[in-house]
Amino acid sequence: MSAAKVMSGSLIDPTEILRPEPIHAGKPIALFRDFTIDVNDPIKERVRLHYDSMHKHQTVEFVLEQHERWLKFDKLQATIMEALETLSTMLDQSDPDVDFPNMLHAFQTAERIRQDHPDCEWFQLTGLLHDMGKILALYGEPQWAVTGDTFPVGCAWAESIVYRDSTFLENPDTHDPKYNTKYGIYSPHCGLDNVLMAWGHDEYMYRVLKHNDSKLPEVAHKIIRFHSFYPWHSAGDYMHLCNEDDMEVLTWVLEFNKYDLYTKCDRVPDLDEVMPYYQSLIDKYIPGVLNW
Ligand SMILES: [Fe+2]
Ligand SMILES: [Fe+2]
């Protein structure tokens, strides 16, 4: 990090794709994303408290404030590798399946994609980059404004949002008739590009890539933007806001999700060995110093 300068429903059955095999890396598939409540289990309790705060505070007003604050890209100047290194200390508090730094998760995800898609460089690089927006947490943002499953603000909370019934009661938008109907501030099939998502690492990294003229294909940007949108990609909610383009993106988001989720028990790659390969992909698609 030395050179970094801090400045001031019908398409797909998701359950088929999400459960390609009953066991992964010694961990039963059913034990990934286990959001049951157990106050005596420290990890489960950490995750529940994370969503408690997230669902209380993510409002239309808050999201717009975060756009104002972060989309000036005046916080940091760093290359992708420099920014990735900062994540070597970052632990995702919302994740029931990971208790090691996020940088390793980035390389695990990329390497598993590389195994299955050896010729798809852009998809491999998407794996490496997808969680980099979590650097928000290193710049003073609480984790509830960085990590966790995302959902639209400005319309009713979908049934499939984790802990939905107990966590939104204190969110002012829950009681605001402008925002608490099926469509809220949106129109039918307006497209997810026109929807305000809960603020976090997905939206931020999408915006960082666009702002810095990433040469990745647009679908890569969309995978990053919506990879935590589980109520949509894995539960099939919010389809009434989607257009045809979104449904195409969905097939890629689901393909990506296998690697994001089920690599969390895999062995950690030898970073010295794989680093030159990923540097070459960065040089091709998103080179040089970026504004964050
Ligand atoms: Fe993520
Ligand atoms: Fe991830």
Side-chain angles (χ1 to χ4, degrees):
M1 195 53 217
S2 51
K5 236 177 26 189
V6 177
M7 297 170 11
S8 218
S10 58
L11 256 195
I12 291 160
D13 175 2
T15 59
E16 289 259 324
I17 294 163
L18 286 169
R19 293 183 183 83
E21 52 198 3
I23 300 273
H24 186 88
K27 180 167 176 172
I29 289 292
L31 294 186
F32 284 89
R33 288 182 54 79
D34 174 4
F35 291 105
T36 53
I37 294 173
D38 179 354
V39 293
N40 297 313
D41 180 324
I43 292 183
K44 285 185 176 173
E45 199 47 11
R46 178 190 82 195
V47 174
R48 188 188 66 80
L49 291 171
H50 171 94
Y51 280 104
D52 213 42
S53 298
M54 183 180 186
H55 295 172
K56 187 197 276 186
H57 296 297
Q58 292 273 358
T59 61
V60 170
E61 190 183 357
F62 173 75
V63 170
L64 293 175
E65 281 169 11
Q66 291 297 83
H67 285 197
E68 189 61 31
R69 174 167 152 73
W70 284 99
L71 302 184
K72 294 189 174 89
F73 306 101
D74 58 356
K75 308 295 185 290
L76 169 76
Q77 289 186 316
T79 65
I80 291 290
M81 278 301 184
E82 287 167 347
L84 203 51
E85 270 176 48
T86 67
L87 292 175
S88 62
T89 56
M90 197 273 171
L91 184 76
D92 184 334
Q93 304 281 324
S94 74
D95 195 328
D97 301 312
V98 171
D99 58 1
F100 57 81
N102 214 262
M103 186 177 82
L104 301 179
H105 166 63
F107 280 98
Q108 279 182 322
T109 308
E111 281 291 281
R112 275 294 286 114
I113 293 175
R114 191 175 166 195
Q115 269 177 29
D116 287 1
H117 298 271
D119 302 322
C120 202
E121 289 179 337
W122 69 262
F123 197 33
Q124 299 159 17
L125 185 57
T126 303
L128 190 74
L129 303 179
H130 77 283
D131 274 344
M132 288 192 65
K134 291 181 184 176
I135 67 166
L136 289 168
L138 306 175
Y139 289 85
E141 290 295 329
Q143 280 239 358
W144 58 260
V146 179
T147 62
D149 295 2
T150 58
F151 47 84
V153 294
C155 62
W157 322 116
E159 290 294 331
S160 64
I161 297 174
V162 294
Y163 310 111
R164 176 199 183 275
D165 293 341
S166 59
T167 50
F168 284 105
L169 298 173
E170 291 180 57
N171 183 312
D173 288 2
T174 301
H175 312 287
D176 189 326
K178 279 200 305 288
Y179 302 139
N180 66 8
T181 62
K182 180 178 177 183
Y183 287 99
I185 58 176
Y186 309 113
S187 54
H189 303 291
C190 59
L192 294 181
D193 277 344
N194 298 307
V195 166
L196 274 179
M197 298 296 295
W199 177 255
H201 70 285
D202 303 53
E203 182 69 21
Y204 177 57
M205 192 59 196
Y206 167 78
R207 301 286 194 125
V208 166
L209 291 169
K210 299 296 280 182
H211 179 75
N212 289 282
D213 298 324
S214 153
K215 296 181 198 68
L216 283 161
E218 192 54 20
V219 71
H221 301 140
K222 296 293 176 64
I223 290 170
I224 290 170
R225 191 179 207 176
F226 297 118
H227 75 272
S228 303
F229 190 9
Y230 276 84
W232 172 61
H233 66 62
S234 294
D237 278 329
Y238 297 108
M239 292 299 172
H240 55 286
L241 300 179
C242 294
N243 61 23
E244 275 179 31
D245 291 348
D246 296 324
M247 302 315 281
E248 248 182 80
V249 168
L250 177 60
T251 59
W252 276 103
V253 172
L254 287 170
E255 178 62 12
F256 177 80
N257 186 254
K258 295 191 297 200
Y259 305 107
D260 187 14
L261 183 55
Y262 296 136
T263 53
K264 291 176 178 176
C265 280
D266 285 356
R267 73 173 188 91
V268 175
D270 180 339
L271 298 194
D272 288 339
E273 197 183 295
V274 301
M275 206 70 101
Y277 176 72
Y278 288 103
Q279 186 59 56
S280 74
L281 300 191
I282 292 164
D283 292 343
K284 184 170 174 180
Y285 291 100
I286 182 85
V289 176
L290 280 61
N291 294 313
W292 299 76

